[in-house]
Amino acid sequence: MNAKIGRRIGLALASLVFVLYILAPVAWMVSSSFQNEAEITSKPPHWIPHQPTLENFAAIFQADKEVTYETRRQGDTATGGYIPSTAKNLLPAMWNSTIVAVMVVILNLLVSIPAAYALAKIRFVGRSSSIYLMLTTRVIPDIALVVPFFLFIRKLGLMDSLSSLVITYLAITVPFSIFILVSYFEGLPDELDKAARVDGCSRLQTLLHVFLPLALPSLVAVVLFTFLTSWNEFLLALMFTQTPASQTMPIVVASFTSDFTISFSFINAAGVLAIIPPVILALMFERYIVSGLTAGAVKG
């Protein structure tokens, strides 16, 4: 009994340490977004703001005034009033990130769902090798694909456009999405497919009316994976976008650190805005996440 209680206490303490390790940076970012620059750089630092302020968030929504070399040179970050010259690009970049993520999610589902159903329920020559070939593409590091992607996008004339990001993100997300869905579809009884075919359903009708309603947990996992990948991706967005018209949020937030000086509180406020959509999405589909990620892991 004592050993059992000791294991439970040890497990609880280990879980607490792990949770603190994961959440501490997020908690500090949220806390510092409500502090001015003098407070955030004080020693020792404090987790709870002594004088909470919304000036950092107000600056994001009012960052439309002209920022010149002189105003940057005179800017004092300790006052909390400093605004980076690229601050006005933050909200448009957030909109660009939303457009890209939503487009990638929709197109990813349109491609991966029929492909996964075909690979799981239709027997044809080369079926297994096709699955392993798609997974092999994810073994290659993304940085090794930058040059081929760059040449491909430039040949299409899509440089500095959201379309370039949609195309490259699909190449990254579709193979893994198909793998998740194939595992789930294979876990569903073949008798469902046969019964639907006997009742006169076509392959498309069988997919839409029989398998998709049962595959909701795996679809949620695919949507979350695709959305988060597209929302957070930095390297390809840095390569293919050069102007504010097409830059996404990670690129604009990173540009805040390359200005004349740095406002940590302003960057953290931008970071808080950046994590809101993924957090809302995760909370909406929280009950499907674990079941979706483990879908197809056990058959029978």
Side-chain angles (χ1 to χ4, degrees), residues 62-107:
Q62 299 174 3
D64 54 355
K65 60 183 180 181
E66 186 70 19
V67 180
T68 64
Y69 176 81
E70 292 300 326
T71 57
R72 286 187 295 166
R73 187 168 179 269
Q74 296 170 5
D76 180 13
T77 57
T79 65
Y82 174 75
I83 302 176
S85 60
T86 53
K88 60 182 179 181
N89 301 330
L90 183 61
L91 294 182
M94 192 173 184
W95 176 244
N96 289 340
S97 293
T98 303
I99 293 176
V100 170
V102 171
M103 288 298 298
V104 172
V105 167
I106 294 174
L107 294 176

Side-chain angles (χ1 to χ4, degrees), residues 29 39 99 110 130 176 200 229 231 279-280:
M29 180 180 66
E39 190 172 0
I99 293 176
L110 291 177
S130 299
F176 188 71
T229 300
W231 184 267
V279 168
I280 292 176

Side-chain angles (χ1 to χ4, degrees), residues 22-35:
I22 296 297
L23 295 182
V26 179
W28 173 251
M29 180 180 66
V30 174
S31 173
S32 58
S33 66
F34 294 98
Q35 303 178 25

Side-chain angles (χ1 to χ4, degrees), residues 4-199:
K4 188 175 182 180
I5 294 176
R7 283 196 299 269
R8 289 183 177 179
I9 294 175
L11 181 61
L13 292 176
S15 300
L16 179 61
V17 171
F18 179 74
V19 170
L20 292 176
Y21 176 77
I22 296 297
L23 295 182
V26 179
W28 173 251
M29 180 180 66
V30 174
S31 173
S32 58
S33 66
F34 294 98
Q35 303 178 25
N36 58 39
E37 204 67 24
E39 190 172 0
I40 197 176
T41 56
S42 63
K43 294 182 180 181
H46 43 270
W47 289 86
I48 300 178
H50 292 170
Q51 297 177 338
T53 177
L54 294 175
E55 291 181 355
N56 300 311
F57 295 97
I60 293 176
F61 293 96
Q62 299 174 3
D64 54 355
K65 60 183 180 181
E66 186 70 19
V67 180
T68 64
Y69 176 81
E70 292 300 326
T71 57
R72 286 187 295 166
R73 187 168 179 269
Q74 296 170 5
D76 180 13
T77 57
T79 65
Y82 174 75
I83 302 176
S85 60
T86 53
K88 60 182 179 181
N89 301 330
L90 183 61
L91 294 182
M94 192 173 184
W95 176 244
N96 289 340
S97 293
T98 303
I99 293 176
V100 170
V102 171
M103 288 298 298
V104 172
V105 167
I106 294 174
L107 294 176
N108 182 78
L109 291 177
L110 291 177
V111 173
S112 60
I113 290 176
Y117 170 73
L119 291 171
K121 296 304 179 183
I122 301 177
R123 300 296 181 260
F124 57 90
V125 178
R127 170 179 170 272
S128 298
S129 59
S130 299
I131 298 176
Y132 292 125
L133 181 62
M134 284 185 295
L135 287 178
T136 302
T137 62
R138 297 309 310 130
V139 177
I140 304 173
D142 291 342
I143 193 171
L145 300 174
V146 169
V147 174
F149 277 150
F150 179 83
L151 297 176
F152 177 72
I153 294 300
R154 188 178 66 175
K155 194 70 174 179
L156 293 177
L158 297 177
M159 291 296 296
D160 198 27
S161 68
L162 298 182
S163 301
S164 64
L165 301 182
V166 173
I167 293 174
T168 52
Y169 292 170
L170 284 174
I172 295 174
T173 58
V174 165
F176 188 71
S177 300
I178 293 177
F179 174 72
I180 293 177
L181 293 175
V182 165
S183 299
Y184 192 85
F185 285 149
E186 286 181 338
L188 298 176
D190 291 339
E191 287 74 14
L192 292 175
D193 184 68
K194 296 177 181 178
R197 299 286 290 166
V198 169
D199 289 340

